[in-house]
Coordinates of all heavy atoms in Angstrom, one line a residue:
M1 N -72.1 75.1 150.1 CA -72.4 74.6 148.8 C -71.2 73.8 148.2 O -70.3 73.6 148.9 CB -73.0 75.6 147.9 CG -74.3 76.1 148.3 SD -75.5 74.9 148.7 CE -76.6 75.0 147.2
I2 N -71.3 73.6 146.9 CA -70.2 73.0 146.3 C -69.3 73.9 145.6 O -69.8 75.0 145.0 CB -70.7 71.9 145.3 CG1 -69.6 71.0 144.8 CG2 -71.4 72.5 144.1 CD1 -70.1 69.7 144.2
D3 N -68.0 73.7 145.5 CA -67.1 74.6 144.9 C -66.3 73.9 143.8 O -66.4 72.7 143.6 CB -66.2 75.4 145.9 CG -65.4 74.4 146.7 OD1 -65.1 73.2 146.3 OD2 -64.8 74.8 147.8
R4 N -65.5 74.8 143.2 CA -64.6 74.3 142.0 C -63.8 73.1 142.5 O -63.6 72.1 141.7 CB -63.9 75.4 141.6 CG -63.0 75.1 140.4 CD -62.1 76.3 140.0 NE -61.3 76.1 138.7 CZ -60.2 75.4 138.7 NH1 -59.8 74.9 139.8 NH2 -59.6 75.2 137.5
D5 N -63.2 73.2 143.7 CA -62.2 72.1 144.1 C -63.0 70.8 144.2 O -62.4 69.7 144.0 CB -61.6 72.5 145.4 CG -60.6 73.6 145.1 OD1 -60.1 73.8 144.1 OD2 -60.3 74.4 146.1
Q6 N -64.2 70.8 144.8 CA -65.0 69.6 145.0 C -65.4 69.0 143.6 O -65.4 67.8 143.5 CB -66.2 69.9 145.8 CG -65.9 70.3 147.2 CD -67.1 70.7 148.0 OE1 -67.8 71.6 147.5 NE2 -67.2 70.3 149.2
V7 N -65.7 69.9 142.7 CA -66.0 69.3 141.3 C -64.7 68.7 140.7 O -64.8 67.5 140.1 CB -66.5 70.4 140.4 CG1 -66.6 70.0 138.9 CG2 -67.9 70.9 140.9
L8 N -63.6 69.3 140.8 CA -62.3 68.7 140.4 C -62.0 67.4 141.1 O -61.5 66.5 140.5 CB -61.2 69.7 140.5 CG -61.3 71.0 139.5 CD1 -60.2 72.0 139.9 CD2 -61.2 70.4 138.1
H9 N -62.3 67.4 142.4 CA -62.0 66.2 143.1 C -63.0 64.9 142.6 O -62.4 63.9 142.4 CB -62.2 66.4 144.6 CG -62.0 65.1 145.4 ND1 -60.8 64.6 145.7 CD2 -62.9 64.3 146.2 CE1 -60.9 63.5 146.4 NE2 -62.2 63.4 146.8
A10 N -64.2 65.3 142.4 CA -65.2 64.2 141.9 C -64.7 63.8 140.6 O -64.8 62.6 140.2 CB -66.6 64.8 141.9
A11 N -64.3 64.7 139.7 CA -63.9 64.4 138.3 C -62.6 63.5 138.4 O -62.5 62.6 137.6 CB -63.6 65.7 137.6
K12 N -61.7 63.8 139.3 CA -60.5 62.9 139.4 C -60.9 61.5 139.9 O -60.4 60.6 139.3 CB -59.5 63.6 140.4 CG -58.3 62.8 140.7 CD -57.3 63.5 141.7 CE -56.2 62.7 141.9 NZ -55.3 63.3 142.9
L13 N -61.8 61.5 140.8 CA -62.2 60.1 141.3 C -62.9 59.3 140.1 O -62.8 58.1 140.0 CB -63.2 60.2 142.5 CG -62.6 60.8 143.8 CD1 -63.7 61.0 144.8 CD2 -61.5 59.9 144.3
A14 N -63.6 60.1 139.3 CA -64.3 59.4 138.2 C -63.4 59.3 136.9 O -63.8 58.8 135.9 CB -65.6 60.2 137.8
R15 N -62.2 59.8 137.1 CA -61.2 59.7 136.0 C -61.8 60.5 134.8 O -61.7 60.0 133.6 CB -60.8 58.4 135.6 CG -60.1 57.7 136.8 CD -59.6 56.3 136.5 NE -58.8 55.8 137.6 CZ -58.6 54.5 137.8 NH1 -59.2 53.6 137.0 NH2 -58.0 54.1 138.8
L16 N -62.3 61.7 135.0 CA -62.8 62.6 133.9 C -61.9 63.7 133.8 O -61.4 64.3 134.8 CB -64.2 63.0 134.3 CG -65.3 61.9 134.4 CD1 -66.6 62.6 134.9 CD2 -65.5 61.2 133.2
E17 N -61.7 64.1 132.5 CA -60.9 65.3 132.2 C -61.9 66.4 131.8 O -62.7 66.2 130.8 CB -59.9 65.1 131.1 CG -58.8 64.1 131.4 CD -57.8 64.0 130.4 OE1 -57.7 64.8 129.5 OE2 -57.1 62.9 130.4
L18 N -62.0 67.4 132.6 CA -63.0 68.5 132.4 C -62.3 69.8 131.9 O -61.2 70.1 132.5 CB -63.8 68.7 133.6 CG -64.6 67.6 134.2 CD1 -65.3 68.0 135.5 CD2 -65.6 67.0 133.2
S19 N -62.9 70.5 130.9 CA -62.4 71.8 130.6 C -62.9 72.8 131.6 O -63.7 72.5 132.5 CB -62.9 72.1 129.2 OG -64.4 72.4 129.3
E20 N -62.3 74.0 131.6 CA -62.6 75.0 132.6 C -64.1 75.4 132.5 O -64.8 75.6 133.4 CB -61.8 76.2 132.4 CG -60.4 76.1 133.0 CD -60.4 75.7 134.4 OE1 -61.2 76.3 135.2 OE2 -59.6 74.8 134.8
A21 N -64.7 75.4 131.2 CA -66.0 75.7 131.0 C -66.9 74.6 131.7 O -68.0 74.8 132.3 CB -66.4 75.8 129.5
E22 N -66.5 73.2 131.5 CA -67.2 72.2 132.1 C -67.2 72.2 133.6 O -68.3 72.0 134.3 CB -66.8 70.8 131.6 CG -67.0 70.5 130.2 CD -66.3 69.3 129.6 OE1 -65.2 69.1 130.0 OE2 -67.0 68.6 128.8
V23 N -66.0 72.6 134.2 CA -65.9 72.7 135.6 C -66.9 73.7 136.1 O -67.6 73.6 137.1 CB -64.4 73.0 136.1 CG1 -64.4 73.4 137.5 CG2 -63.6 71.8 135.8
A24 N -66.9 75.0 135.4 CA -67.7 76.0 135.9 C -69.2 75.6 135.7 O -70.1 75.9 136.6 CB -67.5 77.2 135.1
G25 N -69.6 74.9 134.7 CA -70.9 74.5 134.5 C -71.4 73.5 135.5 O -72.4 73.6 136.1
F26 N -70.6 72.5 135.8 CA -70.8 71.4 136.7 C -70.9 72.0 138.2 O -71.8 71.6 139.0 CB -69.9 70.3 136.7 CG -70.1 69.3 135.6 CD1 -69.0 69.0 134.7 CD2 -71.3 68.9 135.2 CE1 -69.2 68.2 133.7 CE2 -71.5 68.1 134.1 CZ -70.4 67.7 133.3
T27 N -70.1 73.0 138.4 CA -70.2 73.6 139.8 C -71.5 74.3 140.0 O -72.2 74.1 141.0 CB -69.0 74.7 139.9 OG1 -67.8 74.0 139.7 CG2 -69.1 75.3 141.3
T28 N -72.0 75.0 139.0 CA -73.3 75.6 139.0 C -74.4 74.6 139.1 O -75.3 74.8 140.0 CB -73.6 76.6 137.9 OG1 -72.5 77.5 137.8 CG2 -74.8 77.3 137.9
Q29 N -74.4 73.6 138.3 CA -75.4 72.6 138.2 C -75.5 71.8 139.5 O -76.6 71.5 140.1 CB -75.2 71.6 137.0 CG -75.5 72.3 135.7 CD -75.1 71.4 134.6 OE1 -74.9 70.1 134.7 NE2 -75.0 71.9 133.4
L30 N -74.4 71.3 140.0 CA -74.3 70.6 141.2 C -74.8 71.4 142.5 O -75.4 70.9 143.3 CB -72.9 70.0 141.4 CG -72.5 68.9 140.5 CD1 -71.1 68.5 140.7 CD2 -73.4 67.6 140.6
A31 N -74.3 72.6 142.5 CA -74.8 73.5 143.6 C -76.3 73.7 143.6 O -77.0 73.6 144.6 CB -74.2 74.9 143.5
S32 N -76.9 73.7 142.3 CA -78.4 73.8 142.2 C -79.0 72.5 142.7 O -80.1 72.6 143.4 CB -78.7 74.1 140.8 OG -80.2 74.1 140.6
I33 N -78.5 71.4 142.3 CA -79.0 70.1 142.7 C -79.0 69.9 144.2 O -80.0 69.6 144.8 CB -78.3 69.0 142.0 CG1 -78.6 69.0 140.5 CG2 -78.7 67.6 142.6 CD1 -77.7 68.1 139.6
I34 N -77.8 70.3 144.8 CA -77.7 70.2 146.3 C -78.7 71.1 147.0 O -79.2 70.8 148.0 CB -76.3 70.4 146.7 CG1 -75.5 69.1 146.2 CG2 -76.1 70.5 148.2 CD1 -74.0 69.3 146.4
G35 N -78.9 72.3 146.4 CA -79.8 73.3 147.0 C -81.2 72.7 147.0 O -82.0 72.9 148.0
H36 N -81.6 72.0 145.9 CA -83.0 71.3 145.9 C -83.0 70.2 146.9 O -84.1 70.0 147.6 CB -83.3 70.8 144.5 CG -83.5 71.9 143.5 ND1 -84.6 72.7 143.6 CD2 -82.9 72.3 142.3 CE1 -84.6 73.6 142.6 NE2 -83.5 73.3 141.8
I37 N -82.0 69.5 147.0 CA -82.0 68.4 148.0 C -82.1 68.9 149.5 O -82.7 68.4 150.3 CB -80.7 67.4 147.9 CG1 -80.9 66.7 146.5 CG2 -80.6 66.6 149.0 CD1 -79.7 66.0 146.0
N38 N -81.3 70.0 149.7 CA -81.4 70.6 151.1 C -82.7 71.1 151.4 O -83.0 71.2 152.6 CB -80.4 71.8 151.1 CG -79.0 71.2 151.2 OD1 -78.7 70.1 151.6 ND2 -78.0 72.1 150.8
Q39 N -83.6 71.4 150.5 CA -85.0 71.8 150.8 C -85.7 70.6 151.5 O -86.7 71.0 152.3 CB -85.8 72.2 149.5 CG -85.3 73.5 148.9 CD -86.1 73.8 147.7 OE1 -86.9 73.0 147.1 NE2 -85.8 75.0 147.1
L40 N -85.3 69.4 151.4 CA -85.9 68.3 152.0 C -85.7 68.4 153.5 O -86.6 67.9 154.3 CB -85.4 66.9 151.4 CG -85.8 66.6 150.0 CD1 -85.0 65.4 149.5 CD2 -87.2 66.6 149.8
D41 N -84.6 69.0 153.9 CA -84.4 69.1 155.4 C -85.4 70.0 156.0 O -85.6 69.9 157.2 CB -83.0 69.7 155.6 CG -81.8 68.6 155.3 OD1 -82.2 67.4 155.3 OD2 -80.7 69.1 155.0
E42 N -86.0 70.9 155.3 CA -86.9 71.9 155.8 C -88.3 71.2 155.9 O -89.2 71.9 156.6 CB -87.0 73.1 155.0 CG -85.6 73.8 154.8 CD -85.6 74.9 153.8 OE1 -86.7 75.3 153.3 OE2 -84.5 75.5 153.5
A43 N -88.6 70.1 155.4 CA -89.9 69.6 155.4 C -90.2 69.0 156.8 O -89.4 68.3 157.4 CB -90.0 68.5 154.3
D44 N -91.5 69.3 157.2 CA -91.9 68.8 158.5 C -92.4 67.3 158.3 O -93.5 67.1 157.8 CB -93.0 69.6 159.2 CG -93.5 69.1 160.5 OD1 -92.7 68.3 161.1 OD2 -94.6 69.5 160.9
I45 N -91.7 66.3 158.8 CA -92.1 64.9 158.6 C -92.3 64.3 160.0 O -92.4 63.1 160.0 CB -91.0 64.1 157.8 CG1 -89.7 64.2 158.5 CG2 -90.9 64.6 156.4 CD1 -88.7 63.2 158.0
S46 N -92.6 65.1 161.0 CA -92.8 64.5 162.3 C -94.0 63.6 162.5 O -94.0 62.6 163.2 CB -93.0 65.7 163.3 OG -94.1 66.5 162.9
G47 N -95.0 63.7 161.6 CA -96.2 62.9 161.7 C -96.2 61.8 160.6 O -97.3 61.1 160.4
V48 N -95.2 61.6 159.9 CA -95.1 60.7 158.8 C -94.4 59.4 159.3 O -93.3 59.4 159.8 CB -94.4 61.2 157.5 CG1 -94.3 60.2 156.4 CG2 -95.0 62.6 157.1
D49 N -95.1 58.2 159.1 CA -94.5 57.0 159.5 C -93.5 56.6 158.4 O -93.7 56.8 157.2 CB -95.6 55.9 159.6 CG -96.5 56.1 160.7 OD1 -96.1 56.7 161.7 OD2 -97.7 55.6 160.6
P50 N -92.3 56.0 158.8 CA -91.4 55.5 157.9 C -91.9 54.4 157.0 O -92.7 53.6 157.5 CB -90.2 55.0 158.7 CG -90.6 55.2 160.1 CD -92.0 55.8 160.2
T51 N -91.6 54.4 155.8 CA -92.1 53.4 154.9 C -91.1 53.3 153.7 O -90.4 54.2 153.4 CB -93.5 53.6 154.4 OG1 -93.9 52.5 153.5 CG2 -93.6 55.0 153.6
C52 N -91.1 52.1 153.0 CA -90.3 52.0 151.8 C -91.2 51.9 150.6 O -90.7 51.8 149.5 CB -89.3 50.8 152.0 SG -90.2 49.2 152.2
F53 N -92.4 51.8 150.8 CA -93.5 51.8 149.7 C -94.4 52.9 149.8 O -94.9 53.2 150.9 CB -94.2 50.4 149.6 CG -93.3 49.3 149.5 CD1 -93.1 48.4 150.6 CD2 -92.5 49.0 148.4 CE1 -92.3 47.3 150.5 CE2 -91.7 47.9 148.3 CZ -91.6 47.0 149.4
V54 N -94.7 53.6 148.7 CA -95.6 54.7 148.7 C -97.0 54.2 149.0 O -97.7 54.8 149.9 CB -95.6 55.5 147.3 CG1 -96.6 56.6 147.3 CG2 -94.2 55.9 147.1
A55 N -97.5 53.2 148.4 CA -98.8 52.6 148.6 C -98.7 51.4 149.6 O -98.1 50.4 149.2 CB -99.5 52.3 147.3
P56 N -99.3 51.4 150.7 CA -99.2 50.3 151.6 C -99.8 49.0 151.1 O -99.4 48.0 151.5 CB -99.9 50.8 152.9 CG -100.8 51.9 152.5 CD -100.2 52.5 151.3
S57 N -100.8 49.2 150.1 CA -101.4 48.0 149.6 C -100.5 47.2 148.6 O -100.8 46.1 148.2 CB -102.8 48.3 148.8 OG -102.4 49.2 147.8
H58 N -99.4 47.9 148.2 CA -98.5 47.3 147.2 C -97.3 46.8 148.0 O -96.5 47.6 148.5 CB -98.0 48.3 146.2 CG -97.1 47.7 145.2 ND1 -95.7 47.9 145.4 CD2 -97.3 47.0 144.1 CE1 -95.1 47.3 144.3 NE2 -96.0 46.8 143.6
D59 N -97.1 45.4 148.1 CA -95.9 44.9 148.7 C -95.3 43.9 147.7 O -95.8 42.7 147.7 CB -96.3 44.3 150.1 CG -95.1 43.7 150.8 OD1 -94.0 43.9 150.4 OD2 -95.3 43.2 151.9
P60 N -94.3 44.2 147.1 CA -93.7 43.3 146.0 C -93.0 42.2 146.7 O -92.5 41.2 145.9 CB -92.8 44.2 145.2 CG -92.4 45.3 146.2 CD -93.6 45.4 147.1
L61 N -92.8 42.1 148.0 CA -92.0 41.1 148.6 C -92.9 39.9 148.9 O -94.1 40.1 149.2 CB -91.4 41.6 149.9 CG -90.5 42.8 149.8 CD1 -90.0 43.2 151.2 CD2 -89.3 42.6 148.9
R62 N -92.4 38.8 148.7 CA -93.2 37.5 149.0 C -92.7 36.9 150.2 O -91.6 37.2 150.7 CB -93.2 36.6 147.7 CG -91.8 36.1 147.5 CD -91.7 35.1 146.4 NE -90.4 34.8 145.9 CZ -89.4 34.0 146.6 NH1 -89.7 33.5 147.8 NH2 -88.3 33.9 146.1
D63 N -93.6 36.1 150.8 CA -93.1 35.3 152.0 C -92.1 34.3 151.6 O -92.1 33.7 150.5 CB -94.4 34.6 152.6 CG -95.4 35.6 153.2 OD1 -95.0 36.7 153.6 OD2 -96.6 35.2 153.2
D64 N -91.1 34.1 152.5 CA -90.1 33.0 152.3 C -90.9 31.7 152.4 O -91.6 31.4 153.4 CB -89.1 33.1 153.3 CG -88.1 34.2 153.0 OD1 -88.0 34.7 151.9 OD2 -87.4 34.8 154.0
A65 N -90.7 30.9 151.4 CA -91.3 29.6 151.4 C -90.4 28.6 150.7 O -89.8 29.0 149.7 CB -92.7 29.6 150.7
E66 N -90.3 27.4 151.2 CA -89.4 26.4 150.6 C -90.1 25.8 149.4 O -91.3 25.6 149.5 CB -89.1 25.3 151.6 CG -88.2 24.2 151.1 CD -87.9 23.1 152.1 OE1 -88.0 23.4 153.3 OE2 -87.5 22.0 151.6
R67 N -89.4 25.8 148.3 CA -90.1 25.2 147.1 C -89.0 24.5 146.3 O -87.8 24.8 146.4 CB -90.7 26.2 146.2 CG -89.9 27.3 145.7 CD -90.7 28.3 145.1 NE -89.8 29.4 144.4 CZ -90.1 30.3 143.7 NH1 -91.3 30.6 143.4 NH2 -89.2 31.2 143.2
K68 N -89.4 23.6 145.5 CA -88.5 22.8 144.6 C -87.8 23.7 143.6 O -88.4 24.5 143.0 CB -89.2 21.7 144.0 CG -88.4 20.7 143.2 CD -89.2 19.6 142.7 CE -88.2 18.7 141.9 NZ -89.0 17.6 141.2
S69 N -86.5 23.6 143.5 CA -85.8 24.3 142.5 C -85.7 23.6 141.2 O -86.1 22.5 141.1 CB -84.4 24.7 143.0 OG -83.6 23.5 143.1
L70 N -85.3 24.3 140.2 CA -85.1 23.7 138.8 C -84.0 22.7 138.8 O -82.9 22.9 139.4 CB -84.8 24.9 137.9 CG -84.9 24.5 136.3 CD1 -86.3 24.1 136.0 CD2 -84.4 25.8 135.6
E71 N -84.4 21.5 138.3 CA -83.3 20.5 138.2 C -82.3 20.9 137.2 O -82.4 21.6 136.2 CB -84.0 19.2 137.7 CG -85.1 18.7 138.7 CD -85.7 17.4 138.2 OE1 -85.1 16.7 137.3 OE2 -86.8 17.1 138.7
A72 N -81.0 20.4 137.5 CA -79.8 20.8 136.8 C -79.9 20.4 135.3 O -79.6 21.1 134.4 CB -78.5 20.2 137.4
E73 N -80.4 19.2 135.1 CA -80.6 18.8 133.7 C -81.5 19.7 132.9 O -81.2 19.9 131.7 CB -81.2 17.3 133.6 CG -80.2 16.2 134.3 CD -80.3 16.2 135.8 OE1 -81.3 16.7 136.4 OE2 -79.3 15.8 136.4
I74 N -82.6 20.1 133.5 CA -83.5 21.0 132.8 C -82.8 22.4 132.6 O -82.9 22.9 131.5 CB -84.8 21.2 133.5 CG1 -85.5 19.8 133.6 CG2 -85.7 22.2 132.9 CD1 -86.7 19.8 134.5
A75 N -82.1 22.8 133.5 CA -81.5 24.2 133.4 C -80.4 24.1 132.4 O -80.1 25.1 131.6 CB -81.0 24.6 134.8
L76 N -79.7 23.1 132.3 CA -78.6 23.0 131.3 C -79.0 22.6 129.9 O -78.2 22.6 129.0 CB -77.5 22.0 131.8 CG -76.8 22.4 133.2 CD1 -76.0 21.3 133.7 CD2 -76.0 23.6 132.9
A77 N -80.3 22.1 129.8 CA -80.7 21.5 128.5 C -80.5 22.5 127.3 O -80.2 22.0 126.2 CB -82.1 21.1 128.6
N78 N -80.7 23.7 127.5 CA -80.5 24.7 126.4 C -79.2 25.3 126.3 O -79.0 26.3 125.5 CB -81.7 25.7 126.4 CG -83.0 25.1 126.1 OD1 -83.2 24.3 125.3 ND2 -84.0 25.5 126.9
G79 N -78.2 25.0 127.1 CA -76.9 25.6 127.1 C -76.2 25.2 125.9 O -76.2 24.1 125.4
P80 N -75.5 26.2 125.2 CA -74.8 25.9 124.0 C -73.6 25.0 124.2 O -73.2 24.3 123.3 CB -74.3 27.2 123.4 CG -74.3 28.1 124.7 CD -75.4 27.6 125.6
S81 N -73.0 25.0 125.5 CA -71.9 24.2 125.8 C -71.9 23.8 127.2 O -71.9 24.7 128.1 CB -70.5 24.9 125.4 OG -69.5 24.1 125.7
V82 N -72.0 22.6 127.5 CA -72.1 22.1 128.9 C -71.0 21.1 129.1 O -70.7 20.2 128.3 CB -73.5 21.4 129.1 CG1 -73.5 20.8 130.6 CG2 -74.6 22.4 128.9
K83 N -70.2 21.3 130.2 CA -69.2 20.4 130.5 C -69.2 20.1 132.0 O -69.2 21.0 132.8 CB -67.8 21.0 130.2 CG -67.6 21.1 128.7 CD -66.2 21.7 128.4 CE -66.0 21.9 126.9 NZ -64.7 22.5 126.5
K84 N -69.1 18.8 132.4 CA -69.1 18.4 133.8 C -70.3 19.0 134.6 O -70.1 19.5 135.8 CB -67.7 18.7 134.5 CG -66.6 18.0 133.8 CD -65.3 18.4 134.5 CE -64.1 17.7 133.9 NZ -62.8 18.1 134.5
G85 N -71.5 19.1 134.0 CA -72.6 19.6 134.7 C -72.7 21.1 134.9 O -73.4 21.5 135.7
H86 N -71.9 21.8 134.1 CA -71.9 23.3 134.2 C -71.9 23.9 132.8 O -71.5 23.3 131.9 CB -70.7 23.8 134.9 CG -70.5 23.3 136.3 ND1 -71.2 23.8 137.4 CD2 -69.8 22.3 136.8 CE1 -70.9 23.1 138.5 NE2 -70.1 22.1 138.2
F87 N -72.4 25.2 132.7 CA -72.3 25.8 131.5 C -70.8 26.1 131.2 O -70.0 26.6 132.1 CB -73.0 27.2 131.5 CG -74.5 27.1 131.5 CD1 -75.3 27.4 132.7 CD2 -75.2 26.6 130.5 CE1 -76.6 27.4 132.8 CE2 -76.7 26.5 130.5 CZ -77.3 26.9 131.7
A88 N -70.4 25.9 130.0 CA -68.9 26.2 129.6 C -69.0 27.4 128.8 O -69.7 27.6 127.9 CB -68.4 25.1 128.8
V89 N -68.1 28.4 129.2 CA -68.1 29.7 128.6 C -66.6 30.0 128.2 O -65.7 29.5 128.8 CB -68.6 30.8 129.5 CG1 -70.1 30.7 129.8 CG2 -67.8 30.9 130.8
P90 N -66.4 30.8 127.2 CA -65.0 31.2 126.8 C -64.3 31.9 127.9 O -65.0 32.7 128.7 CB -65.2 32.1 125.6 CG -66.7 31.9 125.2 CD -67.4 31.4 126.3
K91 N -63.1 31.7 127.9 CA -62.2 32.4 129.0 C -62.2 33.9 128.6 O -62.1 34.3 127.5 CB -60.8 31.9 129.0 CG -59.9 32.5 130.0 CD -58.5 31.9 129.9 CE -57.6 32.6 130.8 NZ -56.2 32.0 130.8
V92 N -62.6 34.7 129.7 CA -62.6 36.2 129.4 C -61.6 37.0 130.2 O -61.4 38.2 130.1 CB -64.0 36.8 129.6 CG1 -65.1 36.3 128.7 CG2 -64.5 36.4 131.2
I93 N -60.9 36.3 131.1 CA -59.9 36.9 132.0 C -58.5 36.5 131.4 O -58.3 35.3 131.2 CB -60.1 36.5 133.4 CG1 -61.4 36.9 134.0 CG2 -59.0 37.1 134.3 CD1 -61.8 36.5 135.3
G94 N -57.7 37.4 131.3 CA -56.3 37.2 130.8 C -55.5 38.4 130.7 O -56.1 39.5 131.1
P95 N -54.4 38.4 130.3 CA -53.5 39.5 130.1 C -54.1 40.5 129.1 O -54.8 40.1 128.1 CB -52.1 39.0 129.6 CG -52.4 37.7 129.1 CD -53.7 37.2 129.7
P96 N -53.8 41.9 129.4 CA -54.3 42.8 128.4 C -53.8 42.6 126.9 O -52.7 42.2 126.8 CB -53.8 44.2 128.9 CG -53.4 43.8 130.4 CD -53.1 42.4 130.4
G97 N -54.7 42.8 126.0 CA -54.3 42.6 124.6 C -54.4 41.1 124.1 O -54.0 40.8 123.0
G98 N -54.7 40.2 125.1 CA -54.9 38.8 124.7 C -53.5 38.1 124.5 O -53.4 37.0 124.0
A99 N -52.4 38.7 125.0 CA -51.1 38.1 124.8 C -50.8 37.0 125.9 O -51.5 36.9 126.9 CB -50.1 39.1 124.9

C-alpha cells in the first residue's frame, strides 16, 4: 500500500508543505483509495469487449470530412485589436515583477 514516505514524496513533487496530521490523514486516505482501485483487478472481465463508450449507440466522434473554414476577415471582425491580419494581445511574458 502507500506509506508516509510516498505521501511526502508526492507532496514534494507538488510543492506542498504538509503538517504531520495532514501526512497521516493523506496516508490513510490514499491507502483507502488505492485499496478500492485494486478491487478492479479482481473483476472478471474475460467476456467484456474493450470499448471507450458505455453505450454503443452514442458515438460523439464525427467522420473526417473536408469543409470550408471560417474566413480570416470574419474571424477577426469582432477582435478588439487586429494587426497585420492577427489578433493583437498585450504582452504577457516578461521578467518577474514587470521590470
Side-chain angles (χ1 to χ4, degrees):
M1 291 309 255
I2 193 162
D3 61 18
R4 180 182 187 282
D5 291 336
Q6 290 171 318
V7 171
L8 290 173
H9 179 69
K12 180 180 177 184
L13 293 175
R15 296 183 177 158
L16 299 174
E17 292 182 22
L18 302 177
S19 68
E20 284 303 317
E22 289 172 322
V23 171
F26 285 131
T27 301
T28 303
Q29 291 175 15
L30 291 172
S32 176
I33 292 168
I34 290 173
H36 288 298
I37 292 170
N38 286 338
Q39 288 180 355
L40 295 174
D41 289 336
E42 299 171 10
D44 179 18
I45 58 168
S46 58
V48 179
D49 292 330
T51 182
C52 60
F53 302 110
V54 176
S57 62
H58 178 267
D59 186 1
L61 304 177
R62 61 175 169 74
D63 293 332
D64 286 335
E66 185 177 336
R67 62 183 184 179
K68 186 176 177 182
S69 63
L70 191 62
E71 294 179 19
E73 295 80 23
I74 296 171
L76 296 170
N78 291 321
S81 179
V82 177
K83 293 182 182 177
K84 297 181 182 179
H86 301 280
F87 292 112
V89 297
K91 182 177 178 179
V92 295
I93 300 175

